[in-house]
Amino acid sequence: MSPHHQSSRPPHALDPLCAGIGLRPPHYQALLGKPAAVGFLEIHSENFFGAGGPPRRYLDKFREDYAISAHGVGLSLGSADRLNPAHLENLKKLIDWLQPSLVSDHLCWVGVNGRYLNDLLPIPYTEESLKHVASHIRQTQDYLSRQMLVENVSSYLEFADSTIPEWDFLREVAQQTGCGILLDVNNIYVNSINHGFDAMQYLDAMQGADIGEIHLAGFQDTGEILIDTHGAAVSDAVWALYASAINRFGAIPTLIEWDTDIPTLDVLLAEAEKANVMLEQASFAMPTREGRRHAT
Amino acid sequence: MLHELQSGFMAAVLTGSQTELTSVTPKIREGKLNTAQRVAIYRRNVQSTLRGALGDIFPTTRWMLGDDKFLNVGDQFILHAPSTSGDLNQFGRSFPEFLSAMQPSAAADMAALDWAWHEAFHAAEQAALDLSRLGAVPAEQHAALVFQLHPSARLIGSAYPLLELWQAHQNSEEAPLEISKILPADHHFLAVHRDDANVTLTPLSAPQFHFLKICAEHQPLGEAAEAAFALDANFALQAFLIQTVQQNIVIDFNEPS
Ligand SMILES: [Fe+2]
């Protein structure tokens, strides 16, 4: 019998007080022996599109012990192309098997005319883009029969045609489609420096109930611009912005992202622990996010 | 408008050409950095992602060519055959073909082996064949049976000793023989397949290779056996069939309808 039978088991519940980390092959062995090292694990969905083999076998083990978040980089929700049906189908197959706690991708485009740059590229923030990306998100949610989260990306340019501030655009996307927001606090900080806006203004525009997850990561400062490398520890400025966010919105499942120059598991666990302490403090200030939700 | 903007931006990022850059310049706000510098950041990110993907999927080819040459042909490939999927694991499918169109070589054949390994790594699971099921089929019906290979199984033939080269890379980080000195000499055949969790390379004789190749084309056992016997009158059909079932290369058969 194949070990990869469909599972009807409900997904593990996400504990918003316990931060997660990205699941990367260098940590597979170390994590296998630690069933409760972190709150949840986030995969890059595309790396598990293959129907079997070692990637799926490892994931099959990890999902027994951990809530899993399926985070995609390839849907290209902001592309002028229509959604790629093969990509959607592969994503659906993965999700049907995995039953992840969260499913997400980015507010960006990745390719056009059937060709892909495989990078998270910014879209112009216009009424045209808003209609277009909202329709792609609705199609995706309909196809997957579930809500998805959409993440704000780092960017190194702004388009002359943009008429809507990024924060208003992101909130509108959530309002119009019912999708959740994966708020990457590092990306807010990076863009606030790169494009010269006040990061607090970004938080002001968010509705707390829309935010389903937070990302934290490290950037690289070239002296002229900040590049979102996912290759360093979370900076003090980003921790401070994160504290503002969770003190305002309550504890939200938080992920430490680290994809290049991947450190040992201990380093990641220490970053997650730092987030846990702050989540705990935030939950004292605002007892439960759920409670607040019900009150509104 | 979105389409025009994205098409122009993509061309500027992929080619790095001044003409493409000039046409997107009015669409991008300047500031601390000018448009050329901003597009260059994306070009660097994209190049590093796509180069990284090729390097990850074709490690043995890279080792054979050396880093500089691999980077050079890789960049030509990225321009010639841009990625066509949001899933980077699909990138490089036509890289072996691209290399052999430039010049047939051991490295081009190795690229086919690296790609086969990559596909085998991600391929679906399938349970082993229970040999007793085969025993239950009357002998006179055997020739009509159509055998099925494991979803991971790939068959590779080359004029170069790919298996030896591949093993040399596994055992050492040292540069291999100079590529130009590896001459096409003989026919070498192998199967790439997953034996349980691990991708495995199994050397094959010419009759074994052709036997499996015909099975992979969903032709009946009779045809496959005939091809093998034509190459070797003493081909040990039954032993080879049992071996490939045990190795999980042959995983099922369809009884004649
Ligand atoms: Fe992120």
Side-chain angles (χ1 to χ4, degrees), chain A residues 71 106 151-152 182 184 187 215 230 257:
Chain A
H71 183 51
H106 299 81
E151 176 181 1
N152 58 303
L182 197 180
D184 189 315
N187 291 347
H215 271 180
H230 292 185
E257 286 188 294

Side-chain angles (χ1 to χ4, degrees), chain A residues 175-204:
Chain A
Q175 298 286 301
Q176 291 187 14
T177 65
C179 77
I181 291 174
L182 197 180
L183 195 68
D184 189 315
V185 172
N186 180 61
N187 291 347
I188 294 178
Y189 180 74
V190 162
N191 286 1
S192 76
I193 301 298
N194 289 350
H195 308 313
F197 62 77
D198 178 1
M200 292 307 285
Q201 197 180 351
Y202 208 120
L203 296 186
D204 288 343

Side-chain angles (χ1 to χ4, degrees), chain B residues 229-241:
Chain B
F229 285 126
L231 291 166
D232 175 5
N234 298 317
F235 178 61
L237 174 59
Q238 197 181 353
F240 183 61
L241 204 50

Side-chain angles (χ1 to χ4, degrees), chain A residues 20-22 24 27 38 256-258 262-273:
Chain A
I21 61 171
R24 303 291 175 262
H27 301 138
V38 290
I256 307 292
E257 286 188 294
W258 205 318
I262 296 177
T264 61
L265 182 61
D266 291 349
V267 174
L268 283 182
L269 296 184
E271 290 279 277
E273 189 49 40

